[in-house]
Amino acid sequence: MSVEVQGLVGKKIAKASSSLKNFSIEFEGDTGLQMDAVDGPKISARVVANKDLPIQTEAVCSVDWSWIYSSELKQISVDGAVVRLQLDKAGVLTVTAGTWQGSSFLGFQPYKPAAKV
């Protein structure tokens, strides 16, 4: 796993967006995490400047990520087709890569906050 990605631990999430093949997290400050589904299937996870994160235009798989905003990244693990993010307020968010009809995609668990009882 990239030492660069580990450097995000302790940062708070400002915004996030996703598409079928990308999940982008903008952290407070100027650093972001870009995760892309690639052949394998695998996840390419890299640290980029917030200004370089992709702008999502795809409406097919729109997810409201506001429930993870202001969460602090406590731990991250990147292992091939799985990225696990331990967030202090939202809990564990698992991003997985899969393939459907020869095309890679990302899946999220959970993709919305747990129901309050």
Side-chain angles (χ1 to χ4, degrees):
M1 176 182 358
S2 165
V3 172
E4 188 178 42
V5 171
Q6 286 300 317
L8 296 171
V9 171
K11 295 187 178 287
K12 287 194 173 193
I13 296 174
K15 292 195 303 187
S17 62
S18 60
S19 68
L20 198 56
K21 294 182 176 264
N22 172 268
F23 184 40
S24 295
I25 299 175
E26 184 177 314
F27 291 94
E28 292 177 353
D30 63 354
T31 307
L33 176 61
Q34 180 176 334
M35 291 175 267
D36 296 297
V38 296
D39 289 339
K42 292 185 348 186
I43 298 175
S44 167
R46 60 192 180 102
V47 176
V48 299
N50 282 337
K51 66 179 181 58
D52 294 331
L53 288 169
I55 296 171
Q56 306 298 343
T57 57
E58 187 178 293
V60 174
C61 296
S62 182
V63 175
D64 176 5
W65 290 108
S66 62
W67 60 278
I68 67 170
Y69 295 1
S70 79
S71 287
E72 180 181 324
L73 180 62
K74 301 304 270 180
Q75 186 176 23
I76 182 170
S77 65
V78 180
D79 187 17
V82 180
V83 174
R84 282 191 181 80
L85 306 162
Q86 176 67 48
L87 306 173
D88 70 336
K89 294 180 181 176
V92 175
L93 173 60
T94 303
V95 183
T96 56
T99 302
W100 187 70
Q101 294 186 344
S103 185
S104 298
F105 68 91
L106 293 178
F108 310 98
Q109 191 61 314
Y111 62 92
K112 61 182 179 180
K116 300 215 189 253
V117 184

